[in-house]
């Protein structure tokens, strides 16, 4: 069998020529047996598959490492937010980082400190209001509201323990004028 009996692969390309000729293009062609071309393609495929698998594995490892670099600090911020909601403490945050996550962590930490300060101020104000509601502002002695609050408790306690309660009432004439003037 001659070489021309086997299928062949051919490629052609044309190039412009600058010569004094009736044909302005030069046509070049190459051909080779198709089975030789198929063998070369299979060899190239066999060489490329391990390389492609290696690049894919390295890419996967890099993607996992980068994802961990991003997701770990985000998990820390999420845990800090949960802690702040439940225990009023953030725990440790990635504040030393010099990227956007570090900036977010520093801002979150400042917000948590501000919230804790405001909560403490609210608690202090509530304690002060509670004291003022049950004590005289001039003498700091318990007032009538505290008496009305504690007297039923004292009576109930005395009944449970089979004890007695004594109430001493002293009325000072014109004391309201003295209290109001001071």
């Amino acid at each position: 069998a001659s070489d021309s009996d086997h299928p062949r692969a051919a490629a052609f390309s044309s190039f412009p020529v600058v010569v004094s000729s009736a044909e302005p293009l030069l046509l070049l062609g190459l051909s080779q047996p198709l089975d030789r071309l198929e063998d070369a393609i299979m060899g190239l495929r066999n060489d490329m598959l391990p390389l492609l698998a290696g690049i894919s594995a390295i890419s996967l490892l890099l993607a996992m490492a980068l994802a961990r670099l991003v997701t770990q600090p985000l998990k820390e911020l999420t845990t800090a937010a949960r802690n702040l909601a439940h225990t009023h403490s953030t725990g440790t945050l990635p504040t030393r980082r010099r990227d956007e996550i570090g900036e977010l962590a520093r801002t979150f930490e400042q917000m948590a400190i501000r919230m804790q300060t405001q909560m403490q101020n609210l608690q202090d104000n509530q304690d002060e209001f509670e004291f003022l509601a049950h004590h005289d502002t001039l003498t700091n002695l318990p007032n009538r509201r505290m008496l009305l609050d504690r007297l039923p408790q004292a009576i109930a306690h005395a009944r449970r323990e089979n004890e007695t309660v004594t109430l001493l009432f002293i009325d000072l004439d014109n004391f309201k004028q003295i209290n109001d003037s001071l």
Side-chain angles (χ1 to χ4, degrees):
S2 70
D3 199 30
S4 63
D5 293 339
H6 295 299
R8 299 187 65 78
F12 297 94
S13 184
S14 62
F15 297 95
V17 285
V18 184
V19 290
S20 56
S21 163
E23 258 333 294
L25 294 176
L26 174 67
L27 183 63
L28 291 177
L30 294 172
S31 87
Q32 65 179 1
L34 188 58
D35 55 353
R36 192 183 315 162
L37 184 61
E38 288 173 346
D39 289 342
I41 290 172
M42 292 303 282
L44 183 61
R45 185 198 69 158
N46 291 340
D47 291 343
M48 293 301 288
L49 281 178
L51 182 62
L52 185 59
I55 290 172
S56 296
I58 290 171
S59 298
L60 180 63
L61 291 174
L62 279 173
M64 289 171 48
L66 285 173
R68 185 175 178 98
L69 283 174
V70 171
T71 59
Q72 185 62 35
L74 291 176
K75 284 181 183 178
E76 290 173 3
L77 288 170
T78 302
T79 300
R82 276 194 206 104
N83 288 344
L84 185 62
H86 292 44
T87 65
H88 304 294
S89 171
T90 59
T92 58
L93 292 170
T95 56
R96 293 180 187 246
R97 291 178 62 131
R98 297 290 169 212
D99 59 1
E100 291 83 3
I101 292 174
E103 180 65 26
L104 181 62
R106 287 186 293 280
T107 303
F108 189 80
E109 186 176 59
Q110 291 169 356
M111 180 186 69
I113 290 169
R114 185 171 291 143
M115 285 175 58
Q116 289 167 347
T117 302
Q118 289 175 348
M119 299 263 300
Q120 185 60 50
N121 289 342
L122 282 172
Q123 184 62 48
D124 292 346
N125 288 341
Q126 184 177 357
D127 293 345
E128 184 179 348
F129 289 143
E130 186 69 25
F131 182 83
L132 291 173
H134 293 98
H135 292 80
D136 181 75
T137 56
L138 179 63
T139 64
N140 286 337
L141 293 173
N143 63 13
R144 183 176 305 198
R145 179 177 277 159
M146 183 179 268
L147 170 71
L148 295 175
D149 180 51
R150 301 284 170 86
L151 185 59
Q153 294 174 16
I155 293 170
H157 177 74
R159 283 188 184 140
R160 278 193 312 272
E161 302 295 325
N162 201 21
E163 297 175 350
T164 58
V165 173
T166 304
L167 176 65
L168 176 64
F169 180 76
I170 300 174
D171 185 22
L172 299 175
D173 290 337
N174 300 321
F175 184 72
K176 180 168 175 24
Q177 292 174 345
I178 294 169
N179 198 25
D180 289 345
S181 67
L182 297 176

